[in-house]
Amino acid sequence: MKSLRARRVFSLVAVASVAISVTACGDSATEQNAAGGKTKITITGQPPKTQPFERQVFDADVAEFESLHPEIDIEPHEGFMDPKTFSSKLAGGQLEDVYYVYFTDPAQIIARHQAADITEAVKSLPVVNDIQPQLMDNFKGPDGKLYGLPTANYSMGLLYNRALFTKAGLDPDNPPKTWAEVRTAAKKISDLGNGTVGYADFSKNNQGGWHMTSWLYSLGGQIARQDGDTWKADFNNDKGKAALNYLHDMRWTDNSMGSKQLLEATDVQRMMGAGQLGMYLAAPDNVPVLVKQFNGKYEDYGLAGIPDGKGTLLGGEGYMMNPKATPEKIKAGLAWIQWKYLNPDRFDKFVKTFADGKQPVGLPAQPTPDIWQGAVREQQEAVKVKYANVPSTNYQAYMDTAQQIKGSVEPPNAQQVYAALDSVMQAVLTDQGANIDQQLSSAEAKVNNVLAQVK
């Protein structure tokens, strides 16, 4: 969800030191700096100065890369992805050679021919086959060609308060695996009294629709389906009703969601940090936020796979190349992406830097994003254990299911879709007599209007 990009604080990725030799062989002055014969590339992804640790690490990496690749000159630009200015920057010749994207962006970028085809160029990269295939697929076009590389990802899981689980007589090492178990656990936690809430969910500022999407995915449903060249709403069905009925029953029958509703992320995080909340849906990067911003303790939290596990909302980030970039710039850009983000030989050094900087290590999040498979994933996990400064076993239930649950990205025009679905979540959580069938039908019409705009 783009409105929740606090996760950018932890968006640096485990990287490696294998040097890829890139020879700048272009003839024109536009391809190379006339002075030194270097291939100059512009890149996005430099953290803002308000994130001094991450900025320092990034800038040091640029300097080290340039010393190892004297034929390449990097010009870093602060910032990430702004869909509102992307097309105009490209048209005006201002788009960087290597640019950051969210997982929701590649499909439309590829359809609009706004990214370079790197299918052949990546064949020289040594670890592409070690990246999880579903993440690579997110950067492939309908033609099967590759237009970018993933560098980090997240999926939604169940974040829970281990201390409250223990207090309520629940086993914190055996978190709920189904929504029925969530409901049972939420009731026991809310029965502790003193304002304790068993389970909380979002319902405003597009975040309600975002979480409703997660609910649908967990039950094996979806918010939208592609029908030929068009998209249609796909939640006014049994799975949509099941999700809302669970919420309704926890809210009104069990009274395990508390009376205060119309919540968003900061409200729920504040409750969890204060020890007043048992569970909510979240990605792993919520844990450092709870500790750093809401006075929580790493040892008090656990993370499990999303309940029912028939699917989960997948998000993340990666990099694509300017379609106007020369072959030399593409080679140089891929050398940078590979060295900084996709090279296991630097796992140890990179993670140690975070540990030495008193940053959390041991979570299923940065600086060890779960993008790998096979031996490389095992290698990264070993490094994580080596430098862990938080109780990584608290999050093992999430890791055990991470590659078993099908991940799906956000629907097209996600923010507009979520805005339409907010009202459904609000109705169910604030009106005991809300007509769920009517709410779903009304939202279906609104979402179909939004999806009709997808080109």
Side-chain angles (χ1 to χ4, degrees), residues 254-334:
D254 302 342
N255 195 28
S256 61
M257 296 185 68
S259 58
K260 183 180 179 182
Q261 294 300 322
L262 302 181
L263 305 175
E264 57 184 323
T266 53
D267 301 314
V268 173
Q269 289 165 345
R270 187 176 294 108
M271 293 163 62
M272 182 66 85
Q276 293 296 110
L277 174 62
M279 298 170 284
Y280 72 100
L281 289 180
D285 58 6
N286 268 234
V287 179
V289 174
L290 295 174
V291 175
K292 294 184 176 184
Q293 297 183 28
F294 298 99
N295 301 313
K297 298 178 181 179
Y298 286 112
E299 57 268 27
D300 282 347
Y301 305 120
L303 191 68
I306 198 163
D308 279 274
K310 295 183 177 65
T312 187
L313 178 60
L314 180 72
E317 58 200 52
Y319 285 86
M320 303 177 82
M321 310 288 294
N322 192 314
K324 300 177 183 178
T326 64
E328 290 71 28
K329 287 180 179 288
I330 289 175
K331 289 181 181 179
L334 288 175

Side-chain angles (χ1 to χ4, degrees), residues 103 131-139 150 153 314 402-409:
F103 272 14
I131 300 172
Q132 293 176 30
Q134 64 176 345
L135 306 185
M136 293 292 290
D137 288 345
N138 199 52
F139 290 88
N153 78 297
L314 180 72
Q403 295 192 53
Q404 302 170 14
I405 299 176
K406 178 181 180 290
S408 299
V409 297

Side-chain angles (χ1 to χ4, degrees), residues 226-242:
Q226 194 162 12
D227 186 8
D229 295 330
T230 62
W231 286 84
K232 301 290 185 184
D234 194 23
F235 54 83
N236 186 10
N237 50 39
D238 290 345
K239 291 190 171 58
K241 293 174 186 176

Side-chain angles (χ1 to χ4, degrees), residues 41-273:
I41 57 171
T42 53
I43 63 171
T44 60
Q46 183 185 44
K49 292 180 180 179
T50 54
Q51 298 174 14
F53 177 82
E54 290 80 7
R55 173 78 167 231
Q56 181 181 2
V57 171
F58 187 93
D59 290 349
D61 280 349
V62 170
E64 183 178 352
F65 176 83
E66 289 181 331
S67 70
L68 294 171
H69 299 79
E71 74 281 9
I72 300 175
D73 181 22
I74 289 183
E75 180 183 307
H77 290 179
E78 190 175 289
F80 301 99
M81 178 63 167
D82 185 353
K84 295 179 181 178
T85 62
F86 178 84
S87 294
S88 61
K89 285 179 66 176
L90 176 61
Q94 301 300 311
L95 184 67
E96 288 82 1
D97 300 308
V98 180
Y99 60 88
Y100 171 100
V101 293
Y102 301 120
F103 272 14
T104 49
D105 301 316
Q108 290 192 9
I109 288 174
I110 294 167
R112 295 169 181 165
H113 308 290
Q114 294 174 325
D117 175 2
I118 60 171
T119 308
E120 294 300 318
V122 299
K123 290 182 178 179
S124 64
L125 303 188
V127 293
V128 170
N129 291 333
D130 296 306
I131 300 172
Q132 293 176 30
Q134 64 176 345
L135 306 185
M136 293 292 290
D137 288 345
N138 199 52
F139 290 88
K140 290 181 179 178
D143 55 5
K145 294 182 178 179
L146 186 68
Y147 294 87
L149 290 168
T151 54
N153 78 297
Y154 74 90
S155 59
M156 299 294 281
L158 182 71
L159 182 58
Y160 64 99
N161 188 311
R162 291 175 59 88
L164 286 181
F165 264 55
T166 300
K167 193 173 180 180
L170 299 164
D171 183 358
D173 294 325
N174 186 28
K177 297 179 178 63
T178 66
W179 282 112
E181 292 177 2
V182 168
R183 181 180 176 184
T184 298
K187 183 67 168 65
K188 290 183 178 180
I189 292 169
S190 64
D191 285 346
L192 293 172
N194 298 318
T196 304
V197 174
Y199 177 84
D201 222 323
F202 308 162
S203 57
K204 71 175 184 179
N205 291 338
N206 298 6
Q207 296 175 25
W210 176 45
H211 268 209
M212 183 172 168
T213 299
S214 297
W215 271 87
L216 263 291
Y217 288 173
S218 75
L219 296 171
Q222 56 188 355
I223 289 295
R225 71 180 189 278
Q226 194 162 12
D227 186 8
D229 295 330
T230 62
W231 286 84
K232 301 290 185 184
D234 194 23
F235 54 83
N236 186 10
N237 50 39
D238 290 345
K239 291 190 171 58
K241 293 174 186 176
L244 296 177
N245 278 320
Y246 267 121
L247 280 165
H248 178 276
D249 290 346
M250 283 194 288
R251 168 68 176 96
W252 300 106
T253 303
D254 302 342
N255 195 28
S256 61
M257 296 185 68
S259 58
K260 183 180 179 182
Q261 294 300 322
L262 302 181
L263 305 175
E264 57 184 323
T266 53
D267 301 314
V268 173
Q269 289 165 345
R270 187 176 294 108
M271 293 163 62
M272 182 66 85

